[in-house]
Amino acid sequence: MNVLLALAIGTTFGIAVLWLLRGSLWSLLLGLALLGHASHLLIFVGGGLAVAAPPLVAEGALAPAAGAADPLPQALVLTAIVIAFAILAFALVLAVCAGDAANTDDLDAYGGESQ
Amino acid sequence: MNASVVVAPILVPLVAALFGALGPRRPGYQRTVGLLGAFGLFVAAMGLLASVFVEGVIAVQIGDWPAPFGITLAADRLSAAMVAATGLVAFTVVLYSTAEIPDDVVTAGFYPFVHVLLLGVCGAFVAGDLFNLYVWFEVMLLASFVLLALGSGRAALTSSITYVALNLLASAFFLIGVGFLYGQVGTLNFADLSLKLGDPAALDAARPAALLLLIAFGIKAGVFPVFFWLPAAYPNASFAVSALFAGLLTKVGVYALLRVFTLVFPLEALGLAPGLLAVAAATMASGVLAAASQAHVRRILSFHIVSQIGYMVLALALVTTLGLASAVFYIVHHIVTKTNLFLVGGLIARAGGSEQLDQIGGLSQRRLGLTMLFAIPALSLAGVPPFSGFFAKFFLIRSALEADAIVAVTFAVVVGLLTIYSMAKIWIEAFWKPAPAETHLDEPLPRAALVACAMLAVVTITLGVGAEALWSFALATAEQLADPQEYLNAVLGDPT
């Protein structure tokens, strides 16, 4: 399971970098989105995986059973996903406006020379 | 009481943003709420500074969950000084913006976003754990994206793509670093991390996370070779927004470097100090050389931010208490001076009709007040006594000499001279030489903007004249950073 996930994370990072280097506005956004997904998955796995062991406290006990999943990475990753989603939504709208203004998909045209 | 002092600098901008966003879209209402909120933040920030000055480190556990399990807010002298500087910048920039930002941008939600930005900045300064630092960074970034894109025109939109992309990249590095660190150490609370990484084996294992965080903060601070987003974005925003960014955004990155690489990862134990020293020197040199080749007021100033960030990182990389103290002094001086210069840059553009140095001139004959307002921060930035910049450079060079970093001293002196060259260029082109064409831009400059610039100029002079008091404050701050015991006790509870 760990090996599979490690491979998945690595492959996602690889594809993200590939997209980032394409030099076009839309592949840049795609790359950034994938980069976000890869880092979220990494945080999720970073806390250590526990299969089918939810961090629930049994009735009468004061702590979850030993070997239960760590709930903190799950909370972190949820927060990170929400933030990444909001920023990606904004970036998409910005890209539409900027793409209209620059009238090209080629990132070399997005230098930001002031008029 | 203690809790409210730390929470107030976060709560005030939040309330101001809500009142602005949910209230009527009338320009008058929006400006009033914006100004009141900024003034409230200034008062709250001064309150925090005074409390920390009297009581030492103040930590608050949100919802009473004990550290390291809950969300911790902690303010030591460094946090308090940064929040205080933020309060000053917020109030002066918002005051200036009431005269600059047109009605349609104000009704589009300009002030709520300014306050969300301030919320993120203040939150980052008092965050007690790495993940909350990340969240505050994102709050700040999202607001800054919007403020940048609100500037009009094609350049503002296209340049914000660079800005957004590079900052998202930095956030990804940050997040990966957080993931590694949690996987290895099992905590993200600064104080708890500091204890657990005191073990050399744990510190060694956490080295990749440290490097990832260094890259992330480096991009946000704008150090060599990852500063290119900064001069691309800043000159295209409105003057008030670029002044706000110039004063605060990169400094949040520097703050994160200062916090994480003293408290969590001691630079010396990681062996990163020589590398960081080289990065700092390259940042100083590339920033100032790029600035020398520009002929546009805000492009020159933007590249100077990069070179000044180099000074601050240099002071951190000396890994001495004196070095940390000069970093603190430098940051405070830089925030005030740089904000002031960007605001004055706006007045120059208004009085001269352009920011392009070859299209303006003769301002010293026509605008005596503006000339004075430019001279004070420009001389301060160049490091001329008796202004704050002289003492900032003086203390930095003295710390470097005492740390036997001769190369660093050489860089600091040469870069300082080149800074004088750049300031002299703006001075000669915009103020001294005769105006290139007969310009008829004689309407009086807006009073609110002049008052805002004058306030910052007075602070610059005060910091210069009162350099000794600020230096003793900076020394006490550095001692707190060098010996984190007081911070640990405040956050985790006193073991005795």
Side-chain angles (χ1 to χ4, degrees):
Chain A
M1 188 68 181
N2 271 326
V3 177
L4 262 180
L5 272 168
L7 280 176
I9 295 170
T11 315
T12 317
F13 270 124
I15 298 173
V17 171
L18 208 63
W19 279 116
L20 282 175
L21 298 177
R22 283 290 290 270
S24 104
L25 181 60
W26 292 104
S27 43
L28 175 79
L29 288 176
L30 211 58
L32 286 172
L34 279 178
L35 197 63
H37 292 333
S39 19
H40 297 158
L41 206 54
L42 189 136
I43 291 193
F44 182 63
V45 180
L49 282 180
V51 180
L56 297 175
V57 182
E59 210 171 327
L62 288 172
D70 186 347
L72 192 73
Q74 303 175 17
L76 298 184
V77 91
L78 265 182
T79 316
I81 288 172
V82 171
I83 294 174
F85 180 71
I87 289 186
L88 187 66
F90 175 78
L92 283 172
V93 175
L94 184 71
V96 170
C97 296
D100 279 354
N103 208 14
T104 169
D105 189 43
D106 181 8
L107 274 183
D108 288 340
Y110 293 80
E113 286 297 312
S114 58
Q115 310 289 309
Chain B
M1 172 60 204
N2 271 347
S4 57
V5 169
V6 180
V7 177
I10 301 177
L11 220 50
V12 171
L14 180 65
V15 170
L18 286 176
F19 267 90
L22 302 177
R25 294 285 162 100
R26 284 195 309 273
Y29 171 82
Q30 293 286 336
R31 288 198 175 100
T32 313
V33 169
L35 201 55
L36 279 179
F39 184 69
L41 176 60
F42 177 69
V43 172
M46 290 303 148
L48 178 65
L49 184 64
S51 303
V52 170
F53 195 79
V54 174
E55 295 175 33
V57 182
I58 304 175
V60 180
Q61 316 294 347
I62 301 296
D64 266 344
W65 289 90
F69 306 110
I71 292 175
T72 304
L73 300 180
D76 61 355
R77 278 167 176 260
L78 176 63
S79 307
M82 300 298 283
V83 171
T86 307
L88 177 70
V89 168
F91 180 61
T92 47
V93 168
V94 170
L95 183 62
Y96 182 99
S97 72
T98 55
E100 188 205 354
I101 304 299
D103 280 355
D104 59 328
V105 178
V106 169
T107 49
F110 178 78
Y111 287 109
F113 282 112
V114 167
H115 280 291
V116 172
L117 181 91
L118 294 169
L119 168 72
V121 171
C122 289
F125 289 150
V126 297
D129 70 84
L130 211 48
F131 195 77
N132 276 293
L133 186 65
Y134 166 77
V135 173
W136 291 121
F137 261 110
E138 296 302 300
V139 169
M140 175 184 98
L141 275 182
L142 196 53
S144 73
F145 294 164
V146 178
L147 286 175
L148 198 59
L150 271 178
S152 54
R154 179 178 173 272
L157 277 173
T158 52
S159 68
S160 49
I161 293 285
T162 322
Y163 177 77
V164 169
L166 278 172
N167 276 292
L168 288 185
L169 205 62
S171 299
F173 276 115
F174 194 166
L175 212 50
I176 300 164
V178 167
F180 275 7
L181 199 58
Y182 185 76
Q184 237 129 28
V185 190
T187 181
L188 292 174
N189 184 290
F190 286 145
D192 203 26
L193 276 172
S194 172
L195 285 182
K196 295 209 164 123
L197 292 175
D199 172 19
L203 188 65
D204 208 41
R207 207 175 278 267
L211 278 174
L212 284 164
L213 292 177
L214 186 65
I215 295 172
F217 298 151
I219 296 179
K220 308 233 179 219
V223 300
F224 180 86
V226 281
F227 59 79
F228 296 100
W229 57 270
L230 191 156
Y234 285 16
N236 294 315
S238 60
F239 286 96
V241 167
S242 64
L244 198 60
F245 287 11
L248 299 178
L249 292 197
T250 47
K251 259 54 72 187
V252 179
V254 176
Y255 165 82
L257 283 173
L258 269 176
R259 170 69 69 215
V260 170
F261 288 95
T262 56
L263 183 60
V264 179
F265 300 108
L267 267 182
E268 206 157 22
L270 277 177
L272 279 177
L276 201 57
L277 214 55
V279 166
T283 311
M284 289 157 72
S286 50
V288 87
L289 289 176
S293 71
Q294 300 293 326
H296 176 279
V297 174
R298 273 192 294 174
R299 290 184 161 268
I300 295 178
L301 294 177
S302 295
F303 277 111
H304 271 294
I305 298 181
V306 174
S307 116
Q308 309 269 306
I309 293 291
Y311 277 96
M312 297 168 212
V313 177
L314 180 84
L316 168 67
L318 291 174
V319 286
T320 60
T321 310
L322 274 181
L324 286 175
S326 36
V328 173
F329 193 108
Y330 211 107
I331 294 176
V332 173
H333 142 72
H334 176 87
I335 291 179
V336 175
T337 309
K338 206 78 218 191
T339 311
N340 199 358
L341 275 173
F342 270 81
L343 293 182
V344 174
L347 293 179
I348 292 177
R350 200 184 263 244
S354 171
E355 273 189 89
Q356 218 59 51
L357 284 178
D358 53 355
Q359 290 170 19
I360 52 179
L363 290 177
S364 65
Q365 285 102 51
R366 288 187 293 130
R367 307 276 188 179
L368 186 63
L370 179 60
T371 311
M372 295 289 293
L373 283 178
F374 175 74
I376 292 170
L379 289 174
S380 178
L381 189 79
V384 175
F387 302 110
S388 58
F390 168 72
F391 294 100
K393 287 207 169 74
F394 171 75
F395 288 129
L396 179 75
I397 290 174
R398 201 183 70 177
S399 320
L401 275 177
E402 289 191 17
D404 284 328
I406 303 301
V407 183
V409 173
T410 319
F411 265 93
V413 171
V414 174
V415 171
L417 289 176
L418 286 170
T419 310
I420 301 183
Y421 165 73
S422 273
M423 290 302 115
K425 182 157 85 180
I426 301 184
W427 176 259
I428 292 169
E429 295 278 336
F431 289 92
W432 257 8
K433 76 160 192 236
E438 198 53 49
T439 43
H440 297 284
L441 298 157
D442 286 333
E443 90 255 38
L445 294 168
R447 195 172 298 152
L450 288 172
V451 169
C453 293
M455 279 170 67
L456 287 169
V458 168
V459 175
T460 301
I461 296 174
T462 315
L463 290 183
V465 175
E468 195 169 348
L470 181 59
W471 176 246
S472 62
F473 178 85
L475 265 181
T477 310
E479 274 154 23
Q480 251 180 9
L481 288 174
D483 176 21
Q485 200 54 48
E486 193 188 347
Y487 188 95
L488 300 187
N489 287 350
V491 173
L492 297 173
D494 206 331
T496 53

